[in-house]
Amino acid sequence: MKIPSLISVLALAVASGSQAAPYTEPLGPSQSDFGGAGLLQVPSGRMSKEGEFNVNFRNNDQYRFYSVSVQAFPWLEATIRYTDVRTQKYSPYEDFSGDQTYKDKGIDLKLRLWEEGYWLPETSIGVRDFGGTGLFDSEFIAASKAWGPLDFTLGLGWGYLGNSGNVKNPFCEVKDSYCYRDNTHNRAGSFNGADMFHGPASLFGGVEYQTPWQPLRLKVEYEGNDYKGDFAGQLKQDSKVNVGAIYRITDWADVNISYERGNTLMAGFSLRTNFNTLHQRHIDSPPQKYNPQPQDAVLNHQVVASQLTELRNNAGYEDPHIQIKDKTLYVTGEQNRYRYSGDAVDRANRIIANRLPDGIDTINVTETKLNLPLVSTVTDVDSLKSDLQGYPLGKEKQLNQYREEPTDVKGARQGYYIEKDRLNFGIAPVLNQSIGGPENFYMYQVGVQGSADFWMTEHFLASASLFLNLYNNYDEFKYKGPPGDSTLPRVRTHIREYVDNSDVYLNNLQLTYIDQIADGWYGQVYGGYLEQMFGGVGGEVLYRPLDSSWAIGVDANYVKQRDWNDPMQFVDYTAETGHVTGYWQPRFMDDVLVRVSVGQYLAKDKGATVDVAKRFDSGVIVGAFATKTNVSADEYGEGDFTKGFYISVPLDLMTVRPTRSRAQINWIPLTRDGGQMLGRKYLLYGLTDSRSPYY
C-alpha cells in the first residue's frame, strides 16, 4: 500500500467504526509528538489523570523528539523535551562539539481553565518551549469535547502553532505590537515572555477516535503551522491535514505512527505509569495479633527482651529502648523501615499491649533519627485495648492518640534496650550525569560508593565515603568558563579534572556534632572534606515546629577548594557560603513543598533558589528548582542561570521488603559555576521529616 493512501484508509476506518455498537470506552488522553496530552503536532484541551508520567520518543527525517511529561496536579501538566535537529550541527567548531547534531531543550506548561461539562468542553491554556532559543515556542488555547468514541479538539495557536496565520490575532485589536513576533533575542536556557501571544495566529483542530478494538485509536488533525521558518530548514508541506494511529501494546506502552505534512512519516512510542497508583507487594511479617498476656508491674527481663526484638524486626525500630516512668511506658527507637510513622507506631503499640505491665495507662512511642528525638506518639491504653478488640457495629470510637514534642525520659524506674551499633558500613551504586552539553549530549559517571559512620559519643559522629569510578565520559567535557572578561570562579566546571585524575576518590571525611537544641530547634556543626570539590567548616540551625506546615533554617560555611590533582590538598580559592531557607507546605495544595533559599553561593555570587516539589501517593517526589543570582547571563554562560528537575523514588517500590531509603535522579541541563550550593552531607530538614503533619 502506498503511504499517501493511509489518509483514505484512516478516514474509512473512522466512518465505518463510528457506526459500530456498542462503542469501546476510551483509554484516556494520548501523547502528542511534542509530549503532553494532544493529537499529533497540536495539543488538546485534555489533562491526564493526576500523577500520570510519560516518556515519549518520536522520529522523522528532520527531528527526533525526546520528552517526559508529568501530570503534577489535575489542572497542571508539565513537559520537558529535547529535540535532536538532525539536519544541523551543534556548532561550527568541530574541535569543540565534534559531529554532534543540534540539541534544543524546551519546557511546556499547560493549565486547565475548566473541566468538561454536559455542554462545555474541557479547556486549557498553555505555553510550549517557553525557555530557550524558541525554536518551537508557542502559546495556545485548546478545547476538547467527547461525543461517544470521538474526542474533538479546537484551538487557537500563536508562534510555531500559528505560523500560517489563517486567522487574525485577536490581540491585535488591543495593541498593534501584538501583530508582530520577534524571536531574535532568545537565548539558550533563558525564559522569554515578551513575545507571548504576539504575531500570526491560527486555528487548529482534529479528532481522536477510539475504535471498537480498544488497543487501537486513530487521529486526524488540521494544524496551523506552515513550516516555513523551521530551524531544520524550510520544510515542504503538501497538506495541513495529518493522520495517525496509536496502538496500546500493554498498560504501560503505546506505539505511534503518523503521516504528516502530506509527505513525512513519523513514528515513535510512549511509556507510561502513574505515580499515584504505583505500588509494590512486599514480603513482610504482619502486625502482631492482639493477644493480651499482662505482666506484673515490674518489667520481666525475658518478656522485654522479646519485645525489643519484635520492635526491631516487626515494627522497624533500630536500637529500641523500653522504660517506665510513673504510669507511662516509653518506647524509643530510630524508624528505618516504614515510610509513614503511623504504620510503625501501630505495630509497636500492638507489641507492647500484648505484654503490658499492670498499672500502665499510656504508651509513648518516640521516633529518633541520628539520635535526634523527633516526635512522640502518645496512646491511651484503655482506648487502644478497645480499638484492638474491636467495637460493636455502630459503636465505633476514635482511638485516643496524639502526637507531641519528643519526650526526654529522665528518672525512669527501669529500662532495657538493644545497644546501638557504633560503627556502620554501607555500599551503593552511584550515577552522576549531565544532559544537553555541546561536547556530548549525555555525560555520565558510573561508580560505587562505600560509606562508614562511627559514633564517637551520643551526638558526635565521624563519617567517610570513598568513591570508586567504574566508567565515565567526562573526558569530553571541554568547558573552561564563559568567554570575555568574566571573573566568575570555576567552582564546578573543573569536573573533568576531578573525575579523570583518579579512579578512587575520597568524597567525604568529616566530623559532625548534631543535637536537639530545644523543642522544635535542631542544630549541627561539621568540618572536614565536605564534598568532592570543597572542604571546610560550617553549621546549620533549623526551627521546625511539630506538625507545622512551615520551617526555617540557616546554614553558614567557610570552605576551601580541593586540589583536583591531589584531593587531599587544597588550592588557593576560599569562599564564605550560606543561606537562610524557608520551607512551606501549603495547606491548599496537597503534598507540595516550596523551599526558598537566599544567600551566597560557592562562586561568591548572591541570589536565591526556589524549589517546588510534589509528592504523589506512591511516595514518588517530582521537583523543579531555579537559582538566580547577581551574575549576568554573559558571565554565567550558556543557560543564563542554574535550573534543573529531579525525581526522588522510594526504594520500597522496587524492593521486596519495606524501607525508607530513596534514590534520586537529577536532570541538570549544564554544568556551570554560577548559583552553585555546597553539597552538605546532612540536611536537618530531611532528617526531621517525621515532624511533618503528613508523616
Side-chain angles (χ1 to χ4, degrees):
M1 179 186 297
K2 294 183 179 179
I3 290 179
S5 65
L6 183 61
I7 298 176
S8 302
V9 173
L10 291 178
L12 180 61
V14 170
S16 61
S18 62
Q19 305 300 317
Y23 92 89
T24 303
E25 188 70 21
L27 290 169
S30 59
Q31 296 286 293
S32 71
D33 293 343
F34 283 80
L39 292 169
L40 299 169
Q41 288 284 307
V42 305
S44 69
R46 294 291 179 199
M47 293 284 178
S48 301
K49 290 182 179 179
E50 183 180 15
E52 185 153 320
F53 178 75
N54 284 272
V55 177
N56 307 297
F57 170 74
R58 301 290 189 274
N59 179 58
N60 68 22
D61 291 338
Q62 294 83 27
Y63 296 113
R64 291 191 184 101
F65 298 107
Y66 306 87
S67 66
V68 295
S69 180
V70 62
Q71 191 71 41
F73 303 97
W75 46 269
L76 178 65
E77 174 192 85
T79 301
I80 304 168
R81 179 180 52 261
Y82 271 101
T83 304
D84 179 4
V85 185
R86 304 174 67 180
T87 62
Q88 303 291 334
K89 296 291 186 183
Y90 197 101
S91 81
Y93 307 107
E94 291 193 6
D95 58 337
F96 181 55
S97 58
D99 60 356
Q100 184 185 181
T101 53
Y102 189 85
K103 307 295 191 302
D104 177 73
K105 55 183 173 291
I107 302 170
D108 304 348
L109 291 176
K110 186 165 72 172
L111 179 70
R112 186 172 64 197
L113 300 178
W114 57 77
E115 294 184 69
E116 183 176 12
Y118 186 80
W119 296 108
L120 286 176
E122 184 167 2
T123 304
S124 300
I125 185 170
V127 55
R128 179 183 284 178
D129 200 9
F130 68 90
T133 55
L135 299 191
F136 307 102
D137 65 329
S138 314
E139 303 80 50
F140 63 88
I141 299 174
S144 297
K145 189 75 176 73
W147 182 49
L150 302 171
D151 191 29
F152 295 93
T153 291
L154 179 64
L156 179 64
W158 293 261
Y160 193 76
L161 285 167
N163 277 338
S164 63
N166 59 34
V167 296
K168 185 177 181 180
N169 184 348
F171 292 106
C172 287
E173 302 294 334
V174 179
K175 194 174 182 180
D176 288 343
S177 61
Y178 277 95
C179 298
Y180 308 97
R181 191 179 188 98
D182 178 16
N183 287 336
T184 58
H185 58 275
N186 288 346
R187 292 171 53 95
S190 63
F191 293 108
N192 309 303
D195 285 318
M196 285 187 176
F197 301 100
H198 286 62
S202 294
L203 289 173
F204 61 82
V207 59
E208 180 171 329
Y209 168 56
Q210 172 62 66
T211 72
W213 184 30
Q214 191 176 50
L216 179 64
R217 285 171 284 175
L218 306 176
K219 298 182 178 184
V220 179
E221 72 175 14
Y222 176 87
E223 63 173 320
N225 188 15
D226 59 10
Y227 296 93
K228 291 182 179 178
D230 269 51
F231 185 73
Q234 184 170 334
L235 305 181
K236 185 179 179 182
Q237 185 183 51
D238 293 328
S239 173
K240 290 186 179 297
V241 176
N242 303 325
V243 296
I246 175 171
Y247 180 79
R248 177 149 294 182
I249 301 174
T250 183
D251 287 343
W252 51 268
D254 296 334
V255 292
N256 308 265
I257 188 168
S258 57
Y259 191 64
E260 304 179 6
R261 304 200 304 267
N263 54 35
T264 300
L265 190 66
M266 178 83 82
F269 61 84
S270 296
L271 307 178
R272 58 172 296 277
T273 189
N274 190 291
F275 289 154
N276 273 333
T277 59
L278 198 62
H279 68 280
Q280 167 72 304
R281 291 183 179 272
H282 293 128
I283 301 174
D284 189 26
S285 56
Q288 277 193 3
K289 292 182 178 181
Y290 184 50
N291 182 24
Q293 302 175 44
Q295 298 184 63
D296 294 333
V298 179
L299 291 175
N300 179 283
H301 175 75
Q302 290 183 333
V303 171
V304 175
S306 174
Q307 288 178 316
L308 289 170
T309 301
E310 285 299 295
L311 285 170
R312 182 184 60 191
N313 296 339
N314 187 272
Y317 287 97
E318 295 296 327
D319 319 312
H321 195 136
I322 294 177
Q323 52 192 324
I324 291 177
K325 182 180 181 182
D326 300 327
K327 294 184 177 182
T328 300
L329 186 146
Y330 294 89
V331 174
T332 305
E334 181 167 325
Q335 173 53 234
N336 289 323
R337 183 178 303 171
Y338 297 102
R339 194 189 307 161
Y340 298 104
S341 298
D343 296 340
V345 170
D346 174 67
R347 287 172 173 259
N349 279 341
R350 288 170 176 265
I351 292 167
I352 298 301
N354 275 336
R355 302 299 299 272
L356 192 68
D358 289 337
I360 299 299
D361 57 20
T362 56
I363 299 173
N364 181 305
V365 179
T366 299
E367 182 179 336
T368 66
K369 182 70 174 179
L370 295 186
N371 292 334
L372 297 176
L374 300 180
V375 58
S376 291
T377 303
V378 181
T379 308
D380 177 78
V381 167
D382 289 337
S383 175
L384 176 63
K385 289 179 178 178
S386 298
D387 188 74
L388 293 175
Q389 288 169 350
Y391 296 98
L393 186 64
K395 295 186 178 182
E396 296 85 355
K397 294 182 180 180
Q398 186 173 358
L399 178 65
N400 185 2
Q401 184 181 83
Y402 58 91
R403 284 158 52 98
E404 65 177 17
E405 287 292 344
T407 305
D408 183 12
V409 183
K410 298 185 184 297
R413 290 208 308 264
Q414 53 188 303
Y416 296 93
Y417 59 90
I418 295 178
E419 188 171 5
K420 183 181 182 69
D421 291 333
R422 297 180 66 187
L423 181 62
N424 297 287
F425 297 93
I427 188 168
V430 175
L431 170 65
N432 298 314
Q433 59 184 344
S434 140
I435 300 173
E439 305 93 337
N440 193 311
F441 177 66
Y442 182 64
M443 289 189 173
Y444 62 91
Q445 181 185 38
V446 177
V448 176
Q449 183 162 286
S451 59
D453 298 321
F454 178 72
W455 287 99
M456 303 171 67
T457 66
E458 184 180 2
H459 297 291
F460 221 134
L461 176 64
S463 57
S465 61
L466 192 68
F467 180 80
L468 171 63
N469 176 65
L470 298 178
Y471 195 77
N472 75 85
N473 66 345
Y474 273 95
D475 59 321
E476 300 179 28
F477 187 80
K478 303 173 184 176
Y479 184 81
K480 298 184 182 299
D485 299 326
S486 172
T487 57
L488 196 66
R490 294 187 62 191
V491 296
R492 291 299 186 207
T493 54
H494 280 299
I495 179 66
R496 173 181 176 178
E497 289 87 344
Y498 283 105
V499 169
D500 276 352
N501 283 349
S502 176
D503 284 335
V504 180
Y505 193 90
L506 184 66
N507 261 344
N508 171 265
L509 179 63
Q510 72 178 63
L511 295 176
T512 305
Y513 183 85
I514 186 168
D515 199 1
Q516 182 187 32
I517 302 171
D519 283 353
W521 289 90
Y522 297 89
Q524 63 168 328
V525 291
Y526 43 83
Y529 297 112
L530 303 179
E531 51 139 278
Q532 182 186 40
M533 301 183 187
F534 285 90
V537 295
E540 180 188 12
V541 175
L542 175 74
Y543 178 58
R544 186 172 190 175
L546 179 64
D547 290 336
S548 174
S549 61
W550 64 274
I552 188 167
V554 179
D555 70 276
N557 311 273
Y558 177 80
V559 296
K560 196 166 187 178
Q561 192 169 29
R562 297 174 69 179
D563 189 339
W564 46 90
N565 293 314
D566 182 0
M568 303 303 291
Q569 303 296 320
F570 296 91
V571 297
D572 290 337
Y573 181 75
T574 60
E576 299 84 25
T577 179
H579 295 81
V580 177
T581 302
Y583 307 86
W584 181 38
Q585 295 172 282
R587 300 286 185 179
F588 56 86
M589 297 179 72
D590 291 342
D591 294 325
V592 171
L593 173 64
V594 179
R595 182 167 42 201
V596 179
S597 300
V598 179
Q600 180 163 292
Y601 297 83
L602 286 171
K604 301 180 182 178
D605 47 335
K606 300 175 178 64
T609 298
V610 178
D611 185 306
V612 180
K614 161 73 174 180
R615 186 179 64 189
F616 296 94
D617 292 347
S618 66
V620 172
I621 296 173
V622 176
F625 67 91
T627 300
K628 189 66 177 175
T629 71
N630 58 350
V631 172
S632 69
D634 288 335
E635 282 187 295
Y636 183 90
E638 183 182 354
D640 282 9
F641 58 92
T642 297
K643 50 193 168 292
F645 300 84
Y646 56 90
I647 299 177
S648 175
V649 180
L651 290 182
D652 64 359
L653 292 176
M654 296 175 279
T655 58
V656 295
R657 295 188 179 277
T659 176
R660 274 192 166 186
S661 299
R662 285 182 166 271
Q664 184 158 308
I665 303 170
N666 298 312
W667 177 82
I668 300 174
L670 296 166
T671 301
R672 295 295 182 260
D673 294 309
Q676 298 293 331
M677 284 187 173
L678 180 68
R680 296 184 291 128
K681 183 177 180 67
Y682 302 113
L683 303 177
L684 289 176
Y685 190 82
L687 293 177
T688 59
D689 266 346
S690 292
R691 293 179 65 83
S692 166
Y694 302 108
Y695 275 81

